[in-house]
């Protein structure tokens, strides 16, 4: 069966009416396989977003979808009750299967889901101005605030230990041990093992191991509260309305689960205050911009200051450094393990990403006292 016919067969099992027109790959996500389809509904073209959930990453897609349904319904109810204009574009809407399930299984055991496609939006890979960083920050503060009163028990942990630096380091050390073991066995054919190519990055990660554990220890020891957070708030998961350039909707909800507010703030700082994309190879361009950082924090705190505790606000700057570090570590580990986790577009892509993230940490460190002072002043 051709690709389009196979796709048509799968997406035809969702509760979509009208005549199918076409389906194309869509988006830049590193994890799921995403497609966009068009349907003629009584003369109007309507589009949908379909995703094959990455089953290697999310071992319980049913639990992922249960979380997503709870979270999207909660936000939708709030927006509707508040009479928010155009609220249905401000939250993802799951389209059920014809049997009423939030997924469809394919012949290979894959799990598919469908969302309404939110039209006339774009997302950013590099923020253009502090003003953009400000409204991105506000959108994540608002997202967290909307979920502070989610009822019905704890959400599923869709990826256990996702932002657990200590667990990520254990896996990194394991990857290093395997690399060394392979080399010892086969020095002739592997003269330049991946660990040798990444020697400087490995040293950096080793030197930063202790400091990196700060956030997860604070959470585990109860010094900062567990909250529902998004856990994957890099900028291109936030949809911006083409009409007014304001944030419309926070997408990519697979990892919405318990964590700390600081994980979300940190991932946004990592992406919105850097002047370069995450895989930029010209490291001279990888600069952490304090004006973007300040605006982002102002936006975030305008929504979040009400519910954050002093222990959380004391770690605002650290959050950005921490999440950048965990990304550097994860990209490096995936490189050492042979690039199985993230989608990559070229050999060495994960190592490039790791180098980029380390350059960003160095840029933060070069202005650390000033960043701390900014965060303190804004949360006083
Ligand atoms: P991945 O988990 O692989 O990153 P995402 O869920 O983030 O996949 O989807 C890929 C991209 O598609 C997102 O970065 C976002 O830009 C876009 N997107 C996601 N959901 C929608 C939607 N309902 N409508 C329009 N665009 C969307
Ligand atoms: C992945 O799914 P996507 O592309 O939005 C990853 C994030 C990383 C990000 C780095 C489930 O996000 O944790 O920060 O790549 N998501 C998962 O770009 O691992
Ligand atoms: Mg994504």
């Amino acid at each position: 069966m051709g690709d389009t016919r196979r796709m048509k067969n799968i997406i035809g099992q969702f509760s979509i009416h009208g005549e199918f027109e076409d389906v194309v790959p869509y988006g830049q996500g590193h994890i799921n396989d995403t497609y966009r389809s068009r349907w003629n509904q009584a003369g109007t073209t309507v589009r949908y977003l379909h995703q094959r959930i990455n089953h290697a990453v999310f071992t319980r897609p049913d639990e992922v979808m249960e979380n997503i349904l709870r979270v999207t319904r909660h936000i939708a109810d709030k927006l509707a009750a508040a009479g928010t204009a155009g609220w249905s574009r401000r939250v993802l809407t799951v389209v059920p299967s014809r049997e009423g399930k939030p997924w469809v299984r394919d012949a290979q055991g894959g799990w598919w889901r469908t969302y309404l496609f939110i039209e006339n939006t774009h997302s950013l890979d590099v923020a253009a101005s502090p003003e953009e960083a400000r409204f991105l920050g506000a959108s994540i503060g608002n997202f967290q605030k909307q979920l502070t009163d989610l009822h019905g028990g704890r959400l599923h942990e869709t990826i256990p230990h996702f932002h657990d630096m200590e667990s990520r380091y254990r896996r990194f050390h394991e990857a290093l041990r395997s690399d060394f073991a392979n080399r010892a066995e086969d020095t002739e054919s592997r003269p330049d093992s991946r660990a040798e190519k990444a020697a400087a990055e490995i040293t950096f990660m080793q030197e930063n191991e202790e400091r990196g554990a700060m956030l997860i220890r604070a959470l585990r020891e109860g010094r900062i509260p567990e909250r529902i957070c998004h856990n994957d708030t890099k900028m291109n998961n936030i949809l911006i309305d083409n009409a007014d350039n304001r944030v419309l909707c926070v997408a990519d909800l697979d990892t919405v689960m318990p964590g700390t507010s600081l994980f979300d703030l940190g991932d946004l700082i990592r992406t919105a205050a850097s002047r370069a994309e995450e895989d930029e190879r010209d490291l001279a361009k990888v600069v952490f911009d304090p004006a973007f950082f300040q605006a982002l924090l102002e936006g975030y705190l305008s929504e979040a200051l009400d519910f954050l505790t002093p222990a959380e606000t004391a770690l605002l700057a650290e959050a950005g450094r921490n999440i950048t570090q965990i990304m550097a570590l994860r990209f490096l580990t995936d490189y050492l393990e042979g690039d199985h986790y993230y989608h990559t577009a070229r050999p060495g892509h994960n190592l490039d990403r790791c180098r980029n993230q380390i350059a960003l940490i160095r840029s933060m460190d070069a202005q650390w006292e000033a960043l701390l002072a900014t965060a303190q002043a804004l949360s006083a």
Side-chain angles (χ1 to χ4, degrees):
M1 221 193 303
D3 265 4
T4 306
R5 265 187 63 203
R6 195 167 54 231
M7 280 298 299
K8 192 180 162 192
N9 177 36
I10 293 161
I11 64 185
Q13 296 175 52
F14 285 98
S15 189
I16 301 175
H17 68 272
E19 285 157 42
F20 170 80
E21 288 183 350
D22 61 8
V23 59
V24 290
Y26 185 77
Q28 314 285 333
H30 294 346
I31 303 296
N32 298 307
D33 296 326
T34 302
Y35 300 84
R36 191 183 62 195
S37 70
R38 286 195 300 185
W39 298 71
N40 180 335
Q41 298 183 344
T44 305
T45 296
V46 179
R47 303 200 284 186
Y48 293 85
L49 191 102
H50 312 279
Q51 291 182 312
R52 179 169 45 212
I53 302 172
N54 186 327
H55 198 179
V57 169
F58 298 102
T59 53
R60 292 288 306 267
D62 55 330
E63 295 189 349
V64 169
M65 294 313 294
E66 202 180 310
N67 279 1
I68 291 178
L69 282 177
R70 281 181 61 195
V71 163
T72 52
R73 283 177 181 158
H74 181 79
I75 295 176
D77 286 350
K78 276 201 167 172
L79 293 170
T84 312
W87 68 265
S88 62
R89 295 177 71 228
R90 296 184 180 275
V91 59
L92 293 180
T93 305
V94 174
V95 177
S97 74
R98 294 191 188 278
E99 294 173 348
K101 295 204 173 98
W103 62 73
V104 159
R105 304 291 306 273
D106 66 20
Q108 289 72 40
W111 295 72
W112 291 81
R113 68 166 164 235
T114 294
Y115 291 117
L116 297 183
F117 186 80
I118 302 178
E119 295 289 348
N120 299 315
T121 72
H122 63 281
S123 62
L124 302 170
D125 289 312
V126 180
S129 64
E131 198 42 44
E132 286 184 346
R134 186 188 312 277
F135 66 62
L136 289 166
S139 77
I140 292 306
N142 181 254
F143 182 83
Q144 292 178 345
K145 189 155 80 181
Q146 285 171 321
L147 294 174
T148 48
D149 60 349
L150 182 78
H151 42 78
R154 203 164 179 266
L155 290 174
H156 299 292
E157 291 191 38
T158 57
I159 304 181
H161 304 288
F162 188 55
H163 284 313
D164 179 340
M165 190 77 86
E166 291 178 322
S167 151
R168 296 288 183 186
Y169 264 97
R170 281 194 287 277
R171 183 150 177 181
F172 165 68
H173 290 305
E174 187 51 45
L176 272 184
R177 271 194 293 278
S178 306
D179 188 277
F180 287 129
N182 289 343
R183 255 196 294 164
E185 276 170 24
D186 189 7
T187 42
E188 282 303 305
S189 63
R190 303 195 60 200
D192 55 349
S193 78
R194 289 184 178 223
E196 279 174 350
K197 282 196 190 131
E201 290 72 27
I202 290 169
T203 302
F204 181 90
M205 295 321 310
Q206 287 167 336
E207 286 169 358
N208 279 272
E209 180 165 358
E210 187 58 24
R211 176 162 174 190
M214 199 187 287
L215 241 60
I216 193 67
R217 286 186 191 152
L219 180 62
R220 197 179 299 130
E221 291 161 15
R223 283 179 277 121
I224 53 176
E226 179 180 288
R227 297 184 188 281
I228 295 171
C229 62
H230 182 286
N231 286 300
D232 192 359
T233 47
K234 70 172 177 184
M235 275 187 304
N236 69 18
N237 288 326
I238 302 175
L239 304 179
I240 297 171
D241 199 340
N242 293 344
D244 59 4
N245 274 329
R246 311 302 286 192
V247 169
L248 194 59
C249 178
V250 178
D252 201 347
L253 303 177
D254 296 314
T255 50
V256 176
M257 59 178 157
T260 146
S261 58
L262 298 168
F263 293 157
D264 288 355
L265 174 67
D267 207 16
L268 193 59
I269 291 173
R270 172 181 83 84
T271 48
S274 172
R275 302 306 302 126
E277 289 189 37
E278 171 184 87
D279 61 354
E280 171 62 58
R281 278 188 275 194
D282 179 355
L283 298 184
K285 291 188 185 150
V286 183
V287 172
F288 187 84
D289 190 314
F292 285 64
F293 172 72
Q294 173 163 347
L296 192 165
L297 273 188
E298 285 168 359
Y300 176 71
L301 292 171
S302 71
E303 296 283 342
L305 201 51
D306 286 351
F307 63 80
L308 293 178
T309 65
E312 285 170 295
T313 53
L315 288 168
L316 297 175
E318 193 66 33
R321 192 187 191 281
N322 193 275
I323 295 297
T324 311
Q325 181 179 341
I326 207 166
M327 294 312 158
L329 183 69
R330 290 175 61 197
F331 289 139
L332 181 57
T333 305
D334 197 31
Y335 173 73
L336 294 172
E337 289 178 345
D339 304 315
H340 301 304
Y341 186 88
Y342 292 107
H343 291 169
T344 51
R346 54 175 187 264
H349 202 164
N350 273 317
L351 183 56
D352 292 338
R353 289 168 174 152
C354 166
R355 289 182 170 147
N356 174 305
Q357 299 293 286
I358 290 177
L360 191 61
I361 295 174
R362 291 194 197 285
S363 177
M364 289 181 202
D365 285 351
Q367 43 189 328
W368 190 250
E369 292 308 318
L371 300 181
L372 266 187
T374 300
Q376 266 162 19
L378 292 177
S379 48

